[in-house]
Amino acid sequence: MDYPLKTPGQLGAVLKGFRRERKLTQAAVGAAVGLPQNAISQIEAAPDHSSLARVFKVLAALELEVV
């Protein structure tokens, strides 16, 4: 399924939705990629203020890819 994004805020919502769908906490996703829970919270809330490397770590943890 594709999710076209036009704004960074939409990316945060998609990441949060997939995390919740997989029944993962922010802490669990952070532990999987070596980031603290508050970093995952920041990425979901304001991905435009997060590094691209961190965003891609979260994408990988959720088994998502950018196409």
Side-chain angles (χ1 to χ4, degrees):
M1 197 175 286
D2 294 338
Y3 294 91
L5 303 174
K6 295 184 180 186
T7 69
Q10 290 173 328
L11 174 60
V14 168
L15 293 174
K16 185 176 185 176
F18 272 99
R19 177 181 59 77
R20 286 183 169 175
E21 181 179 295
R22 289 170 169 81
K23 299 184 183 345
L24 295 170
T25 63
Q26 291 176 341
V29 172
V33 297
L35 294 172
Q37 175 275 326
N38 64 336
I40 305 304
S41 176
Q42 171 67 29
I43 291 167
E44 289 180 356
D48 53 325
H49 295 288
S50 302
S51 75
L52 192 55
R54 282 187 168 195
V55 170
F56 271 89
K57 283 183 178 184
V58 174
L59 288 167
L62 297 174
E63 299 179 0
L64 299 173
E65 60 183 11
V66 177
V67 179

